[in-house]
Short mmCIF file of all heavy atoms in Angstrom, two decimals:
data_model
loop_
_atom_site.label_atom_id
_atom_site.label_comp_id
_atom_site.label_asym_id
_atom_site.label_seq_id
_atom_site.Cartn_x
_atom_site.Cartn_y
_atom_site.Cartn_z
N SER A 183 -7.85 5.08 -0.01
CA SER A 183 -8.15 4.69 -1.41
C SER A 183 -9.21 3.61 -1.49
O SER A 183 -9.16 2.75 -2.37
CB SER A 183 -6.86 4.22 -2.09
OG SER A 183 -5.86 5.20 -2.06
N HIS A 184 -10.18 3.67 -0.60
CA HIS A 184 -11.23 2.65 -0.53
C HIS A 184 -11.89 2.41 -1.88
O HIS A 184 -12.36 3.34 -2.55
CB HIS A 184 -12.30 3.06 0.48
CG HIS A 184 -13.53 2.21 0.45
ND1 HIS A 184 -13.49 0.87 0.76
CD2 HIS A 184 -14.82 2.50 0.12
CE1 HIS A 184 -14.72 0.37 0.63
NE2 HIS A 184 -15.52 1.34 0.24
N GLY A 185 -11.90 1.14 -2.31
CA GLY A 185 -12.61 0.75 -3.53
C GLY A 185 -11.89 1.02 -4.82
O GLY A 185 -12.39 0.63 -5.89
N ASN A 186 -10.73 1.63 -4.79
CA ASN A 186 -10.03 2.00 -6.01
C ASN A 186 -9.32 0.81 -6.65
O ASN A 186 -8.98 -0.16 -5.97
CB ASN A 186 -8.98 3.10 -5.77
CG ASN A 186 -9.62 4.41 -5.44
OD1 ASN A 186 -10.82 4.52 -5.19
ND2 ASN A 186 -8.83 5.48 -5.45
N HIS A 187 -9.12 0.90 -7.98
CA HIS A 187 -8.29 -0.07 -8.69
C HIS A 187 -6.88 -0.02 -8.07
O HIS A 187 -6.44 1.02 -7.59
CB HIS A 187 -8.22 0.29 -10.17
CG HIS A 187 -7.54 -0.72 -11.02
ND1 HIS A 187 -6.20 -0.69 -11.26
CD2 HIS A 187 -8.03 -1.80 -11.70
CE1 HIS A 187 -5.87 -1.70 -12.05
NE2 HIS A 187 -6.98 -2.40 -12.34
N PHE A 188 -6.16 -1.15 -8.12
CA PHE A 188 -4.85 -1.18 -7.45
C PHE A 188 -3.86 -0.16 -8.04
O PHE A 188 -2.95 0.30 -7.35
CB PHE A 188 -4.24 -2.61 -7.50
CG PHE A 188 -3.49 -2.95 -8.75
CD1 PHE A 188 -2.12 -2.78 -8.80
CD2 PHE A 188 -4.15 -3.47 -9.85
CE1 PHE A 188 -1.41 -3.12 -9.95
CE2 PHE A 188 -3.45 -3.81 -11.00
CZ PHE A 188 -2.09 -3.64 -11.05
N SER A 189 -4.08 0.24 -9.32
CA SER A 189 -3.17 1.22 -9.93
C SER A 189 -3.53 2.64 -9.55
O SER A 189 -2.82 3.57 -9.91
CB SER A 189 -3.18 1.08 -11.45
OG SER A 189 -4.47 1.44 -11.97
N ASP A 190 -4.61 2.82 -8.81
CA ASP A 190 -5.09 4.15 -8.44
C ASP A 190 -5.15 4.28 -6.92
O ASP A 190 -6.08 4.83 -6.35
CB ASP A 190 -6.49 4.39 -9.04
CG ASP A 190 -7.00 5.82 -8.82
OD1 ASP A 190 -6.21 6.76 -8.99
OD2 ASP A 190 -8.20 5.96 -8.47
N ARG A 191 -4.13 3.75 -6.26
CA ARG A 191 -4.05 3.82 -4.81
C ARG A 191 -2.79 4.51 -4.37
O ARG A 191 -1.76 4.47 -5.04
CB ARG A 191 -4.13 2.39 -4.23
CG ARG A 191 -5.52 1.80 -4.33
CD ARG A 191 -5.57 0.39 -3.85
NE ARG A 191 -6.93 -0.09 -3.86
CZ ARG A 191 -7.76 -0.14 -2.81
NH1 ARG A 191 -7.32 0.27 -1.64
NH2 ARG A 191 -8.99 -0.57 -2.91
N GLU A 192 -2.86 5.12 -3.18
CA GLU A 192 -1.71 5.88 -2.69
C GLU A 192 -0.70 5.02 -1.91
O GLU A 192 0.45 5.39 -1.83
CB GLU A 192 -2.22 7.01 -1.78
CG GLU A 192 -3.04 8.04 -2.54
CD GLU A 192 -3.35 9.25 -1.70
OE1 GLU A 192 -2.54 9.60 -0.83
OE2 GLU A 192 -4.43 9.86 -1.89
N GLY A 193 -1.14 3.89 -1.34
CA GLY A 193 -0.22 3.09 -0.56
C GLY A 193 -0.51 1.62 -0.64
O GLY A 193 -1.51 1.16 -0.10
N LEU A 194 0.33 0.85 -1.31
CA LEU A 194 0.21 -0.62 -1.38
C LEU A 194 1.54 -1.26 -1.05
O LEU A 194 2.62 -0.64 -1.23
CB LEU A 194 -0.23 -1.05 -2.77
CG LEU A 194 -1.65 -0.73 -3.25
CD1 LEU A 194 -1.83 -1.22 -4.67
CD2 LEU A 194 -2.68 -1.37 -2.34
N ILE A 195 1.48 -2.50 -0.64
CA ILE A 195 2.67 -3.33 -0.55
C ILE A 195 2.50 -4.50 -1.52
O ILE A 195 1.48 -5.19 -1.48
CB ILE A 195 2.89 -3.88 0.88
CG1 ILE A 195 3.22 -2.73 1.83
CG2 ILE A 195 4.02 -4.90 0.90
CD1 ILE A 195 3.42 -3.18 3.27
N GLU A 196 3.45 -4.66 -2.43
CA GLU A 196 3.42 -5.76 -3.36
C GLU A 196 4.32 -6.88 -2.85
O GLU A 196 5.48 -6.68 -2.58
CB GLU A 196 3.89 -5.32 -4.74
CG GLU A 196 3.95 -6.45 -5.79
CD GLU A 196 4.57 -6.02 -7.11
OE1 GLU A 196 4.92 -4.82 -7.24
OE2 GLU A 196 4.73 -6.90 -7.98
N LEU A 197 3.74 -8.07 -2.70
CA LEU A 197 4.47 -9.25 -2.29
C LEU A 197 4.70 -10.14 -3.52
O LEU A 197 3.74 -10.46 -4.22
CB LEU A 197 3.71 -10.04 -1.24
CG LEU A 197 3.27 -9.26 0.02
CD1 LEU A 197 2.48 -10.18 0.95
CD2 LEU A 197 4.43 -8.66 0.75
N THR A 198 5.93 -10.51 -3.76
CA THR A 198 6.28 -11.40 -4.87
C THR A 198 6.64 -12.78 -4.31
O THR A 198 7.56 -12.88 -3.49
CB THR A 198 7.42 -10.86 -5.71
OG1 THR A 198 7.07 -9.61 -6.28
CG2 THR A 198 7.81 -11.82 -6.82
N HIS A 199 5.93 -13.82 -4.74
CA HIS A 199 6.21 -15.17 -4.31
C HIS A 199 6.69 -16.00 -5.49
O HIS A 199 5.95 -16.20 -6.48
CB HIS A 199 4.95 -15.84 -3.71
CG HIS A 199 5.10 -17.29 -3.48
ND1 HIS A 199 4.22 -18.24 -3.97
CD2 HIS A 199 6.06 -18.00 -2.83
CE1 HIS A 199 4.63 -19.45 -3.64
NE2 HIS A 199 5.74 -19.33 -2.94
N ASN A 200 7.92 -16.47 -5.42
CA ASN A 200 8.48 -17.38 -6.42
C ASN A 200 8.17 -18.81 -5.99
O ASN A 200 8.48 -19.22 -4.87
CB ASN A 200 9.99 -17.17 -6.54
CG ASN A 200 10.33 -15.79 -7.09
OD1 ASN A 200 10.03 -15.46 -8.24
ND2 ASN A 200 10.94 -14.96 -6.25
N TYR A 201 7.52 -19.53 -6.89
CA TYR A 201 7.05 -20.87 -6.57
C TYR A 201 8.17 -21.74 -5.99
O TYR A 201 9.28 -21.79 -6.54
CB TYR A 201 6.51 -21.58 -7.81
CG TYR A 201 5.28 -20.92 -8.45
CD1 TYR A 201 4.73 -21.44 -9.60
CD2 TYR A 201 4.69 -19.76 -7.92
CE1 TYR A 201 3.62 -20.88 -10.23
CE2 TYR A 201 3.58 -19.19 -8.50
CZ TYR A 201 3.04 -19.73 -9.66
OH TYR A 201 1.96 -19.16 -10.27
N GLY A 202 7.86 -22.40 -4.93
CA GLY A 202 8.75 -23.40 -4.33
C GLY A 202 9.63 -22.91 -3.22
O GLY A 202 10.19 -23.75 -2.49
N THR A 203 9.76 -21.62 -3.06
CA THR A 203 10.63 -21.12 -1.97
C THR A 203 10.13 -21.54 -0.59
O THR A 203 10.91 -21.71 0.33
CB THR A 203 10.74 -19.58 -2.04
OG1 THR A 203 9.44 -18.99 -2.04
CG2 THR A 203 11.49 -19.15 -3.31
N GLU A 204 8.81 -21.70 -0.49
CA GLU A 204 8.24 -22.08 0.81
C GLU A 204 8.64 -23.48 1.22
O GLU A 204 8.55 -23.84 2.42
CB GLU A 204 6.70 -21.95 0.78
CG GLU A 204 5.99 -23.00 -0.08
CD GLU A 204 5.95 -22.67 -1.57
OE1 GLU A 204 6.66 -21.74 -2.00
OE2 GLU A 204 5.20 -23.35 -2.27
N ASN A 205 9.14 -24.28 0.28
CA ASN A 205 9.54 -25.65 0.60
C ASN A 205 11.07 -25.79 0.74
O ASN A 205 11.55 -26.90 0.91
CB ASN A 205 9.07 -26.60 -0.52
CG ASN A 205 7.54 -26.62 -0.64
OD1 ASN A 205 6.84 -26.61 0.38
ND2 ASN A 205 7.04 -26.60 -1.85
N ASP A 206 11.78 -24.68 0.63
CA ASP A 206 13.23 -24.72 0.73
C ASP A 206 13.66 -24.20 2.09
O ASP A 206 13.60 -22.98 2.37
CB ASP A 206 13.83 -23.84 -0.37
CG ASP A 206 15.36 -23.84 -0.35
OD1 ASP A 206 15.96 -24.45 0.56
OD2 ASP A 206 15.95 -23.20 -1.25
N PRO A 207 14.08 -25.07 3.01
CA PRO A 207 14.45 -24.63 4.37
C PRO A 207 15.66 -23.69 4.39
O PRO A 207 15.87 -22.99 5.38
CB PRO A 207 14.75 -25.94 5.10
CG PRO A 207 15.11 -26.91 4.02
CD PRO A 207 14.29 -26.52 2.84
N GLU A 208 16.43 -23.65 3.31
CA GLU A 208 17.60 -22.79 3.26
C GLU A 208 17.32 -21.40 2.68
O GLU A 208 18.17 -20.51 2.70
CB GLU A 208 18.70 -23.46 2.40
CG GLU A 208 19.13 -24.84 2.88
CD GLU A 208 19.70 -24.78 4.29
OE1 GLU A 208 20.45 -23.83 4.58
OE2 GLU A 208 19.39 -25.69 5.09
N TYR A 209 16.09 -21.23 2.14
CA TYR A 209 15.78 -19.96 1.46
C TYR A 209 15.56 -18.83 2.49
O TYR A 209 14.84 -18.99 3.45
CB TYR A 209 14.52 -20.12 0.60
CG TYR A 209 14.16 -18.84 -0.13
CD1 TYR A 209 14.75 -18.52 -1.32
CD2 TYR A 209 13.22 -17.95 0.39
CE1 TYR A 209 14.43 -17.33 -2.01
CE2 TYR A 209 12.88 -16.76 -0.28
CZ TYR A 209 13.50 -16.49 -1.48
OH TYR A 209 13.18 -15.31 -2.14
N LYS A 210 16.16 -17.71 2.19
CA LYS A 210 15.88 -16.52 2.98
C LYS A 210 16.16 -15.28 2.12
O LYS A 210 16.91 -15.34 1.15
CB LYS A 210 16.72 -16.46 4.26
CG LYS A 210 18.21 -16.36 4.05
CD LYS A 210 18.93 -16.27 5.40
CE LYS A 210 20.44 -16.14 5.22
NZ LYS A 210 21.13 -16.02 6.53
N VAL A 211 15.53 -14.18 2.46
CA VAL A 211 15.68 -12.94 1.72
C VAL A 211 16.70 -12.05 2.40
O VAL A 211 17.02 -12.22 3.58
CB VAL A 211 14.35 -12.18 1.59
CG1 VAL A 211 13.31 -13.03 0.88
CG2 VAL A 211 13.83 -11.73 2.96
N SER A 212 17.23 -11.11 1.63
CA SER A 212 18.07 -10.05 2.20
C SER A 212 17.16 -8.91 2.59
O SER A 212 16.51 -8.28 1.75
CB SER A 212 19.10 -9.59 1.17
OG SER A 212 19.86 -8.51 1.63
N THR A 213 17.10 -8.59 3.88
CA THR A 213 16.15 -7.58 4.36
C THR A 213 16.60 -6.14 4.12
O THR A 213 15.81 -5.21 4.26
CB THR A 213 15.91 -7.74 5.87
OG1 THR A 213 17.11 -7.45 6.58
CG2 THR A 213 15.44 -9.15 6.20
N GLY A 214 17.87 -5.95 3.77
CA GLY A 214 18.40 -4.61 3.52
C GLY A 214 18.89 -3.91 4.75
O GLY A 214 19.30 -2.76 4.69
N ASN A 215 18.91 -4.61 5.90
CA ASN A 215 19.32 -3.96 7.14
C ASN A 215 20.56 -4.58 7.79
O ASN A 215 20.87 -4.24 8.91
CB ASN A 215 18.16 -3.99 8.13
CG ASN A 215 17.08 -3.00 7.78
OD1 ASN A 215 17.34 -1.81 7.63
ND2 ASN A 215 15.86 -3.49 7.59
N THR A 216 21.24 -5.46 7.05
CA THR A 216 22.47 -6.06 7.58
C THR A 216 23.61 -5.85 6.59
O THR A 216 23.41 -5.85 5.39
CB THR A 216 22.29 -7.57 7.83
OG1 THR A 216 21.89 -8.22 6.62
CG2 THR A 216 21.26 -7.83 8.91
N GLU A 217 24.79 -5.61 7.13
CA GLU A 217 25.99 -5.44 6.31
C GLU A 217 26.39 -6.80 5.71
O GLU A 217 26.21 -7.82 6.35
CB GLU A 217 27.13 -4.86 7.14
CG GLU A 217 26.86 -3.47 7.67
CD GLU A 217 26.82 -2.37 6.60
OE1 GLU A 217 26.96 -2.71 5.39
OE2 GLU A 217 26.64 -1.21 6.94
N PRO A 218 26.94 -6.82 4.51
CA PRO A 218 27.29 -5.67 3.65
C PRO A 218 26.21 -5.35 2.63
O PRO A 218 26.52 -4.78 1.59
CB PRO A 218 28.57 -6.16 2.98
CG PRO A 218 28.30 -7.63 2.75
CD PRO A 218 27.50 -8.07 3.97
N HIS A 219 24.97 -5.67 2.94
CA HIS A 219 23.89 -5.52 1.94
C HIS A 219 22.80 -4.55 2.39
O HIS A 219 21.62 -4.76 2.11
CB HIS A 219 23.28 -6.89 1.63
CG HIS A 219 24.30 -7.89 1.13
ND1 HIS A 219 24.64 -9.03 1.85
CD2 HIS A 219 25.07 -7.86 0.02
CE1 HIS A 219 25.58 -9.69 1.16
NE2 HIS A 219 25.85 -9.00 0.04
N LYS A 220 23.21 -3.48 3.07
CA LYS A 220 22.22 -2.50 3.46
C LYS A 220 21.76 -1.68 2.27
O LYS A 220 22.50 -1.42 1.35
CB LYS A 220 22.80 -1.53 4.54
CG LYS A 220 22.82 -2.11 5.93
CD LYS A 220 23.14 -1.03 6.95
CE LYS A 220 23.00 -1.56 8.38
NZ LYS A 220 23.30 -0.53 9.38
N GLY A 221 20.47 -1.27 2.33
CA GLY A 221 19.89 -0.48 1.27
C GLY A 221 18.47 -0.12 1.63
O GLY A 221 18.21 0.90 2.28
N PHE A 222 17.52 -0.97 1.21
CA PHE A 222 16.13 -0.84 1.66
C PHE A 222 16.10 -0.94 3.18
O PHE A 222 16.82 -1.73 3.78
CB PHE A 222 15.29 -1.95 1.02
CG PHE A 222 13.97 -2.17 1.68
CD1 PHE A 222 12.94 -1.23 1.51
CD2 PHE A 222 13.73 -3.30 2.44
CE1 PHE A 222 11.69 -1.44 2.11
CE2 PHE A 222 12.50 -3.52 3.04
CZ PHE A 222 11.48 -2.59 2.87
N GLY A 223 15.23 -0.12 3.80
CA GLY A 223 15.15 -0.14 5.25
C GLY A 223 13.90 -0.78 5.81
O GLY A 223 13.94 -1.74 6.57
N HIS A 224 12.74 -0.24 5.42
CA HIS A 224 11.51 -0.72 6.00
C HIS A 224 10.29 -0.17 5.25
O HIS A 224 10.40 0.79 4.47
CB HIS A 224 11.39 -0.34 7.47
CG HIS A 224 11.43 1.15 7.72
ND1 HIS A 224 12.56 1.82 8.12
CD2 HIS A 224 10.45 2.11 7.61
CE1 HIS A 224 12.30 3.11 8.26
NE2 HIS A 224 11.04 3.33 7.93
N THR A 225 9.15 -0.79 5.50
CA THR A 225 7.87 -0.16 5.21
C THR A 225 7.35 0.41 6.53
O THR A 225 7.89 0.10 7.62
CB THR A 225 6.84 -1.15 4.63
OG1 THR A 225 6.71 -2.26 5.57
CG2 THR A 225 7.30 -1.68 3.29
N CYS A 226 6.33 1.24 6.48
CA CYS A 226 5.81 1.88 7.69
C CYS A 226 4.29 1.95 7.67
O CYS A 226 3.69 2.31 6.66
CB CYS A 226 6.38 3.27 7.85
SG CYS A 226 5.71 4.20 9.26
#
């Protein structure tokens, strides 16, 4: 999709950053691969 608008592409990864999480040593995300919160698996 070289040169295309982001809405006209076949494969993108969207990263969402909530302000301040980078300064919280306790913050972590649920990756979707550990019980009991399995769901999303991976990108490829």
Side-chain angles (χ1 to χ4, degrees):
S183 302
H184 169 63
N186 290 12
H187 188 271
F188 85 94
S189 67
D190 186 44
R191 287 176 176 262
E192 295 188 32
L194 290 178
I195 294 179
E196 177 186 357
L197 307 178
T198 298
H199 169 234
N200 295 294
Y201 297 178
T203 54
E204 71 277 13
N205 299 319
D206 181 356
E208 302 300 319
Y209 180 84
K210 64 178 181 179
V211 300
S212 175
T213 66
N215 286 304
T216 57
E217 296 292 2
H219 302 114
K220 281 190 174 182
F222 164 72
H224 60 260
T225 56
C226 176

